[in-house]
Amino acid sequence: MKKRFARGIFLFVGVAVCSALPGPARAADVDSPLPGYKLVWSDEFDYEGLPDPAKWGYEEGYVRNNEAQFYTRARKENSRVENGVLVIEARKEHFQKPTARAGRRDNVSATPSADYAEYTAASLITLGRASWQFGRIEVRAKLPQGKGVWPAIWMLGDNIRKIGWPACGEIDIMEFVGHTPNKVHATVHYRKDGQHKSSGGALTVTEPWADFHVYAVEWTPERMDFFFDQQKYHSVDVKTADNQGQNPFRQRQYLLINFALGGSWGGKIDDSVLPQKYLIDYVRVYQKHDAQP
């Protein structure tokens, strides 16, 4: 399942030749895909049980975009590591919310009087554990499929709680929505002159959900380049987000990997496709040798 890349073969604009390791990759086994870069953080998911709490936290509840799922915290039905992969599972179920069990109401919910959710999933985050300024962030993943699914790999400024969104910046390394099943998307969001701005690109790919693929951003002080496997399909000049001497893409960002259902972009959910699994083979962050981890 795990892949390693030989230094000097996988180049910034080149073609990769990769070979499967006989077992789960360790950090020491992984060569950098870019000359002058080193691996500074990873999760190879070579263990069993809940995601490593030293690396991952959770969002909980109804969080954004009018999505249908209730994000659960440390619940194996929705997020677990097994057989060398992280499994994020979206389920159609009658789930009693923790706030209800504690005798409280969930005031964030789209249905604040309800003690139960009808869909569950998970959103894993590195906030408070790890964040980065520049580097190559890559995730090898197998997407779910079906109408209503909305998995994502993305980043937010770790100052979001101080300055809010979109001023903190957002880097969407991968988004996929089931109602357009042959496209993957990369987008950045930011604030400029008091307004929300964005720059996005999409790549048409035959059945991207049918196998594992590498989703990556190569982020430097000058550019953000987005990749599907070895194909670069969207680029953004960092200076585009310059705003009165500030730029969120020259600040630290943390990572999120989530599986949403429905909402403002996910659209109508086909309950018959559920449950669906979003599989993550590994997460790796590389930076230049002289960069801060």
Side-chain angles (χ1 to χ4, degrees):
M1 184 71 70
K2 298 290 187 295
K3 301 284 185 178
R4 69 182 294 181
F5 297 99
R7 185 181 287 109
I9 295 177
F10 180 61
L11 300 176
F12 186 76
V13 293
V15 177
V17 177
C18 48
S19 59
L21 286 173
R26 301 286 194 262
D29 298 325
V30 180
D31 288 330
S32 171
L34 293 174
Y37 280 65
K38 65 178 180 179
L39 185 70
V40 297
W41 190 94
S42 71
D43 199 335
E44 304 295 333
F45 304 113
D46 51 358
Y47 52 92
E48 298 284 327
L50 289 171
D52 183 352
K55 296 180 178 180
W56 302 102
Y58 302 85
E59 295 186 296
E60 187 173 17
Y62 296 99
V63 179
R64 63 181 70 85
N65 299 326
N66 297 311
E67 295 159 5
Q69 80 290 336
F70 185 95
Y71 283 137
T72 66
R73 178 184 298 273
R75 181 176 185 248
K76 287 185 178 179
E77 290 87 345
N78 297 118
S79 58
R80 61 191 178 274
V81 178
E82 60 186 21
N83 302 318
V85 299
L86 168 65
V87 180
I88 302 179
E89 184 168 328
R91 301 163 62 94
K92 167 69 173 170
E93 59 179 329
H94 195 57
F95 173 72
Q96 188 177 32
K97 302 172 190 174
T99 49
R101 293 195 291 272
R104 295 177 285 113
R105 299 288 185 175
D106 178 7
N107 292 322
V108 182
S109 169
T111 55
S113 63
D115 288 336
Y116 289 85
E118 299 305 316
Y119 299 93
T120 61
S123 176
L124 274 63
I125 63 175
T126 67
L127 180 63
R129 293 163 172 82
S131 63
W132 304 274
Q133 181 184 10
F134 312 130
R136 176 181 165 95
I137 296 90
E138 68 175 38
V139 178
R140 187 171 186 262
K142 187 174 187 292
L143 305 180
Q145 62 170 309
K147 290 183 177 179
V149 306
W150 184 2
I153 303 162
W154 53 304
M155 305 182 79
L156 286 169
D158 63 5
N159 58 353
I160 186 171
R161 292 174 178 172
K162 293 181 179 179
I163 66 173
W165 182 94
C168 67
E170 175 179 332
I171 303 171
D172 296 326
I173 300 170
M174 184 284 299
E175 288 185 280
F176 173 80
V177 285
H179 58 77
T180 54
N182 292 313
K183 283 189 177 181
V184 293
H185 303 262
T187 313
V188 301
H189 298 268
Y190 54 97
R191 176 172 289 161
K192 189 166 186 176
D193 300 326
Q195 296 183 334
H196 169 222
K197 303 287 186 179
S198 64
S199 172
L203 178 68
T204 299
V205 183
T206 302
E207 298 182 348
W209 40 263
D211 203 349
F212 282 86
H213 297 280
V214 174
Y215 302 93
V217 61
E218 292 180 358
W219 172 28
T220 71
E222 294 76 36
R223 302 188 62 78
M224 290 174 283
D225 294 323
F226 295 86
F227 293 82
F228 173 86
D229 291 330
Q230 290 79 54
Q231 183 171 358
K232 182 170 71 173
Y233 69 98
H234 185 53
S235 294
V236 179
D237 287 334
V238 168
K239 66 183 180 183
T240 302
D242 285 346
N243 185 37
Q244 300 178 355
Q246 302 295 319
N247 189 314
F249 304 125
R250 295 193 177 99
Q251 307 293 328
R252 299 180 75 89
Q253 301 246 332
Y254 69 95
L255 184 66
L256 305 91
I257 301 179
N258 71 291
F259 188 172
L261 292 171
S264 58
W265 197 18
K268 185 176 180 180
I269 303 167
D270 179 0
D271 289 349
S272 70
V273 306
L274 299 175
Q276 280 285 314
K277 295 179 181 179
Y278 178 21
L279 305 181
I280 311 299
D281 185 27
Y282 63 73
V283 181
R284 296 173 184 166
V285 180
Y286 303 88
Q287 290 185 316
K288 285 187 176 181
H289 288 184
D290 57 354
Q292 293 297 316

